[in-house]
Amino acid sequence: MSNNLYIDFMISLLAGTIRISIPILLPALGQIYTQRSGILNLGVEGIMIIGALSGFVGAFFTGSLWFGVFSAVVAGLLFSLIMGFLSITIKANQVIAGTALTILGTSLASFLYRVIFGIRKLPPIIDSFPSLNFLGLSKIPVIGPIFFNHNILVYLALFLVFFTWFVLEKTTFGLKVKAVGEFPRAADSKGIRVGLIRYICVAIGGMYAGLGGAFMSIGYMDTYMDHMIAGRGFIAVSVVIFSRWDPKRALFAALLFGGANVLQMRLQSIGVNIPNQFLLALPYVLTILVLVGVSKKVAFPSAFTIPYSRNSK
Amino acid sequence: GAQEDNSDSRLKVALILPGKIDDVSWNQAMYDGMKTVEEMYADKIAVTYVEEVYEVADIEPAIRDFAAEGFDLIFGHGFQFMEPIIKVAEDFPDTCFALGTGFKTGKNTAVYDVTLGEGGYLMGILAGLLTETNKIGVVGGADVSEIYRGHEAYKMAAKSVNPKIQIQELYTGDWRDAATAKDGATGMYDSGVDIIWHSGDGIGLGVVNAAKTENKLAMGNVVDQNVLAPNNIISGIQYNWAPVIKNIIDDIINDNFMNRDDKYYWLTVANEGVQVTPFHSFESQISDEVVKTLQDAVTGISNGTIEVPHFQK
Amino acid sequence: MYLLWIELSRVGTMFNFMTEKAIKEAGKVIEKPLVQMIQIKKTFSGIPANDCVDFTLKEGSVHGLLGENGAGKTTLMNILFGLYEPDSGKVLIKGEPVKIHSPLDAMNLKIGMVHQHFMLVKTLTVTENIMLGIKSTRTPFLDTRMIRNRIIELSGKYGLDIDPDAKIWQLSVGQQQRVEILTAIFKGADILILDEPTAVLTPGESEDLFSILRELRNSGIGIILISHKLEEILAIADEVTILRNGVKTGETLVTPSTTKQELTRMMVGRDVLFNFTGKDVNIGKECLSLDHLCAIDDRGVQVLQDVSFSIKDGEILGLAGVDGNGQKELCQILTGLRKTTGGTIHLYDQDLLTMTPKQCIDNKIFHIPEDRQKSGLIMDWDVQKNLILKNYDSKSISGRFCLSEQRIGEQADTMIQEYNIKTPGREEVVKKLSGGNQQKIILAREMEGDPELLIASHPTRGLDIGAMEYVRQRILDQKANGAAILLVSADLEEIFQLSDRIAVIYNGRIMGIVSPDAGISKIGMLMAGIMETENVGVDA
Amino acid sequence: MNIIIKRSKTMAKQIWPSVLAIFFALLLSGFLLFATGHNPLRAYARLFDGAFGNLNRFAETLVKTIPILIIALGTSVAFKCKLWNIGGNGQYTVGAIAAVAVAVYVPLPYFIRIPLSLVASIVAGMIIGGGVGLLRAKMNANEVITTLMFNYIIMYFLSWLVNGPMMDPEGFGFPQTQLIPDQMKLQSIIPGTRLHFGLFLALIIVVVAFIFWKTRTGFRISLVGESHEVAQASGVSVQKHIVLTMMISAALPAIAGWIDVFGIHGRLQENLPGELGTIAIVVALLGGLNPIGIVFASLFFSALVVGGSTMQRFEGVPYSLVGIIQGLVIVFVICRVVYEEFKEKRRVKQLVH
Ligand SMILES: Nc1ncnc2c1ncn2[C@@H]1O[C@H](COP(=O)(O)OP(=O)(O)OP(=O)(O)O)[C@@H](O)[C@H]1O
Ligand SMILES: Nc1ncnc2c1ncn2[C@@H]1O[C@H](COP(=O)(O)OP(=O)(O)OP(=O)(O)O)[C@@H](O)[C@H]1O
Ligand SMILES: [Mg+2]
Ligand SMILES: [Mg+2]
């Protein structure tokens, strides 16, 4: 490969990596709150698809993409409250509650889409968020196409990395979240309402996941499809765990996964002689390898997946 | 719904689809074809549609159920229906079965198939002639036989008209994750590819979308996808299943089905089941030379002077 | 000498250790009630923890709350702090009837509480833990810097010596307790509840705490002090309330003439048995011997250094010492759960260091663990299953492949009877039983296997007097059966009652091994880390 | 006699809240059906008919029950040890792969090849499970992630096999393997239906599972699940049992894969397990991790799935609505504790007054 081609290849790879890791990063950031507060929400996949649909419907009927984003966030919030109710109020097993949420979410989204749009010859489409071009910054060689040629949701997601870090480390709310996940009884004795904080965290997780869903339908693509989340919610849950509940590391983990995915596609395209299934499996293999590398240090929030009740000893 | 009425003399037809009837692809083309025939033969047939019979284990009960309910003709739209249909057909010798691709037939079982190779060939000619960078691409879902045939013919044809051509090829490993396909296509465009054909299914929308955001050219599949991106979808191929369906139904009505020797119904360029879609707004930009070469290829394939090999892995 | 006094007074409750001059402060007693709790009733699954308790705290006074383990002291205070809601009864603060539904309500009423079990989040720093309980001045943002400065200031002022940036898990128990106290002081409460605050403090720290408390009292704050240490109560309290089995059995002003005997009688309902002795047992051959044992803890810190002692069949060796001086790790080593870094251990002729936990059990080493709920019992399982944890694979329980439900049941029934375990049935979930009965389950399980070596860690911690005596009797029975027994306890009363010899551990070292005749003062000195020359059996 | 009445009374008491929960879920779904122009009663009648209407349909329900039941039993072993094995799909797939590999490529007499292929499946499952268990025990690698990732990896591995080395040479390039020899397939129990002898294998596994929890190993596994600390103090090696648990837990889905290959598929194709893994998680938990409970839960769920398909076929109910009904049933069944808590509160109140 000539030098020039090599640079082009890397630019395309990195720009693609950023784009494709956003729908993993967004729900992962939300799940950092949720998991930090002690709740494992395996229903992210379901929430994301609900978000994707709501985002699209909102944007389609109002013509406003931002209204679409708003509807996705609200829908994600509302839908995640089911998880909150099951895991916090009912104190149900979180694995089954999350599974139920995924089944319900994927079916409900598919059902509502058909109800709203009927059967069409061609799918309804909208104009999705365009790439921003900060004062022509995207024209800067190399750096431009990698960093300055994305749509606004990408930058929003990157901002949310910082924002999530800030909330968790610098605000009273973040401190409460950590306390609730580690030692709910202590939090309770300090006057923190454990259930409320957990509800809020589940809801925030839902909002971020909803946003992640909207990114897929109106940020990345321009329409809704039943299978457009394609396991990204589950990947997000993994990313959260192996980034050890740290937003910055979550960004790297999402980039890593996204990068592996883009890399396999680029390698396929340029005709690397490896069966494509092996390349397709690459991101997942990489995830396990990284997980094994970092796990020794992983200490789960002490109250992870354990419901809290003041009266039980 | 199914007609319970005994006095109804119409042929009871069931169409079992593995995906959604509005997937802008494989399933939708068949659905549309069947709808056309149903309207045409409103007094002769009554059709029941079932979508998303995706799990292989659920196929046989579905077929058996329709057979047991007294349906006269059952379509299974995919090769995964082959084994179950052969098995059920033995138990219901009076029922007719039609299998969408595959290779096993029986007294009451026929195969209908599309010569995607011919379609791919035509697309390859177009891409080879239209490219300015001498780099073209093709994106497919899973690497299965009919898709493979299309891709191989595409590559062969492109090389035949443009010896300098470089071709990038990608399988996303999935029929429905359009976002991944979009990123794959984006990567191709980034590396200098200026025209991509996609070989169908939900992922095709990702390629169309990539063309739109990158403002490059793409070619559609299955249905005329120009409206999705009028400035980017230069052409494509579309299937018209109606003639083949009509053919099968006529055979049954005329008692020709069971004793027919050739149990293959082909959708071909020759019988206009596979067509090149119009150029729409690109009409004026396409040189007469290109139009002529394409037309020659169509004629050649139709009258057998050009023989597209039956590629096999 | 003063230090020694404090040290000794920390240690036992049965020894009357009044110093020359009464330490009680001559403070004015203000009559205005700060807290009135009237006819408080609270039951846990039918068993009353507080039964129609009245309690009054006056402004500017220190009120001692006494009672044996499980008497309901913590429960009463948890109710005042809003952690539990009472079944019935009223609470008045400064004369106003109030409903305290949560700690938040309590804090708004300016009630602060230092809990018996640390309420600290281990992964957070000291500053963060303190910030948890107070409203930030910069809400919604944290005012870390300000709080941090105040911590340094307060900690300097009261000599608490706390690093505001340390994570809780990095701190020693004593330091953690100081963080708890600091948290309470920080909030500037009108009413301060301290639930056994000195249990893990060093004598110096205790005295510092008391001077803080005196200062706070003089500034008008009402303090409720729960303690098992009567000396402390006599030293600082203005009044005491005494609970027994959830019922209030007395309330009295503390005057210079108040004696410990008086208080004890109210607490226990009778005079404490001073000469609680077992049958005379012939001491046999050497069962366990440790030679220069060394070990490190989970954090890699040296916890045991050159520990050497031996125990003979039919002998009880008491291991006295303040918690956290290596006792826990020693017990883990003896049961095969922890690796050592040096030295040898022999069980009769066998090398114990190479044994797996399973082999230790097979060699009849049994253990009554100090934290029964965490490492002794499966709280969600029923009584009978908890009773077979150590012998589920024995012939008496297992058939060829399967555990026999019938035999498990039969065994459970006999043990329930024999050990007088109060339970509705063998299928009752252990979580629902009282602490005493939970302890009896462990006792039954560990003793039923006829131990060669029995390690009893704090066997009576958290037990009422009846259960306590029962447990001690059972341990003596094992001795009579010829078991070698290592009794680990911070309770000197227990150590003196049961032991044939007493080893004192301090900072991972055996300070000395003495006979019970040596007297309390000597042991007290050893526990405080002051070495003596004369020993009665350190076999080095 | 008295005991029987008492037992069935307590059974009824335990089942009643679930029945109530299912009723409410169906009621709510009924509104959705009605709102989209379907007659809920007719649809539900179809659903019931589809699951139990005639011998063939009941047989289909049982055919579906077999893998769900076995995977759920496997999953439950891990769950009982508080290990979240959500890799049922992958483990099922490796079982199927091993089954076909031996059945097609090992030229030994059938009577050896059949048991050999079963052993191969079990071993394949154990290798995956053991790997996950080792990673968890030694490296502290969270098993939720590893099992999930293995699902994807194995899915692509299967895809590679059927498109590459194991593709049927006479299959015209379709992504599937050869059929296993007919003589090796599990015979039908009721001629004319697909119900095969795998059912007996499933029943044997249920019995074994039932007994397993009474064995020493079963006891030790549940002990480790409850508390690592207590288990260790009781002389049970926690690490060893984590690995063992994952091996057992993965071997069962692999057996389910074997049964499905020998009972229905006869070959490998892509996406063999479909939604089985997810349903099995739900079934294991709804069945209370108890073999008998799991039998009923899996029967119920496969009836829901099979009947749901029939409802979809003949009432034109969209596939997604069938999924919604499933989701609602799970949610409501989880909520049944609300009812139980409500009763408990009432009981306590009555006691106090
Ligand atoms: N949350 C609870 N659930 C069930 N029982 C409880 C609970 N809290 C306390 N109890 C029981 O209530 C009784 C009183 O307990 P409490 O903690 O108030 O005793 P205490 O006087 O503080 O004892 P100690 O000296 O050990 O601190 C005990 O029998 C205890 O087991
Ligand atoms: N803590 C431990 N560390 C290492 N190995 C252990 C530990 N505990 C038990 N084992 C091993 O586990 C195995 C099972 O122990 P045990 O002797 O109880 O077998 P068992 O009861 O006959 O087992 P099964 O119920 O399977 O027949 C033994 O080989 C023992 O060495
Ligand atoms: Mg207490
Ligand atoms: Mg002996």
Side-chain angles (χ1 to χ4, degrees), chain B residues 4 51-52 54-58 60-62 64-66 69 79 82-83 102-103 143-145 312-313, chain D residues 46 56-57 60 64 163 171-176 179 194 267 269 271 274-275 310 312-314 319:
Chain B
E4 306 282 333
E51 50 180 341
E52 296 196 85
Y54 188 66
E55 285 191 31
V56 279
D58 293 344
E60 190 178 324
R64 196 173 283 279
D65 234 4
F66 281 117
E69 287 278 316
F79 88 90
M82 179 165 74
E83 232 56 64
F103 53 89
D143 180 12
V144 301
S145 88
Q312 220 175 71
K313 279 199 270 192
Chain D
R46 269 291 189 192
N56 190 39
R57 288 183 164 147
E60 277 302 329
K64 191 89 186 172
N163 280 293
F172 297 90
F174 286 98
Q176 53 187 15
L179 279 170
R194 292 205 298 170
R267 60 153 53 116
Q269 286 177 316
N271 186 40
E275 312 265 287
T310 309
Q312 176 200 3
R313 286 198 281 276
F314 295 118
Y319 177 73

Side-chain angles (χ1 to χ4, degrees), chain C residues 375 390 392 400 403 405, chain D residues 214-216 220 226 229 233:
Chain C
S375 49
K390 290 281 167 78
Y392 66 90
R400 202 170 176 72
L403 306 182
E405 259 172 61
Chain D
K214 299 180 185 301
T215 64
R216 279 167 289 207
R220 282 193 282 257
E226 291 293 336
E229 210 171 321

Side-chain angles (χ1 to χ4, degrees), chain B residues 84-301:
Chain B
I85 279 186
I86 297 296
K87 214 161 132 203
V88 177
E90 279 169 16
D91 297 341
F92 294 89
D94 297 330
T95 310
C96 301
F97 297 88
L99 170 65
T101 77
F103 53 89
K104 286 191 184 169
T105 58
K107 187 169 164 21
N108 51 347
T109 306
V111 171
Y112 60 93
D113 201 345
V114 54
T115 52
L116 193 63
E118 296 178 357
Y121 189 89
L122 296 175
M123 292 297 102
I125 300 249
L126 258 184
L129 292 174
L130 293 176
T131 178
E132 286 165 8
T133 58
N134 287 332
K135 284 184 185 171
I136 62 169
V138 54
V139 178
D143 180 12
V144 301
S145 88
E146 75 263 24
I147 304 292
Y148 178 80
R149 271 181 271 153
H151 282 209
E152 292 303 314
Y154 174 83
K155 291 191 276 188
M156 182 184 102
K159 279 179 199 147
S160 76
V161 294
N162 186 345
K164 283 184 302 198
I165 202 97
Q166 287 181 19
I167 307 167
Q168 299 193 3
E169 184 182 14
L170 172 71
Y171 290 106
T172 61
D174 182 288
W175 298 111
R176 338 190 249 205
D177 184 359
T180 299
K182 176 179 176 179
D183 199 76
T186 307
M188 288 183 180
Y189 287 132
D190 284 347
S191 68
V193 166
D194 61 352
I195 183 162
I196 300 176
W197 176 57
H198 74 77
S199 55
D201 288 287
I203 60 119
L205 293 180
V207 176
V208 172
N209 193 254
K212 201 163 104 182
T213 30
E214 298 289 308
N215 201 19
K216 296 273 168 59
L217 297 180
M219 295 184 292
N221 195 343
V222 184
V223 293
D224 185 352
Q225 293 177 333
N226 180 271
V227 287
L228 291 175
N231 298 324
N232 309 95
I233 301 298
I234 192 163
S235 179
I237 53 168
Q238 60 186 359
Y239 310 156
N240 179 11
W241 286 105
V244 160
I245 298 169
K246 195 164 152 287
N247 215 336
I248 295 174
I249 288 170
D250 286 342
D251 275 353
I252 291 173
I253 291 173
N254 304 330
D255 260 348
N256 258 341
F257 187 82
M258 300 272 194
N259 39 36
R260 195 180 137 120
D261 284 336
D262 177 15
K263 281 284 200 280
Y264 286 87
Y265 293 84
W266 282 101
L267 194 68
T268 59
V269 170
N271 65 17
E272 297 193 337
V274 179
Q275 299 165 331
V276 178
T277 60
F279 293 116
H280 297 281
S281 59
F282 292 93
E283 196 78 63
S284 55
Q285 297 165 38
I286 312 267
S287 69
D288 291 345
E289 195 188 339
V290 172
V291 175
K292 186 172 177 311
T293 318
L294 182 69
Q295 198 49 54
D296 288 350
V298 172
T299 325
I301 292 173

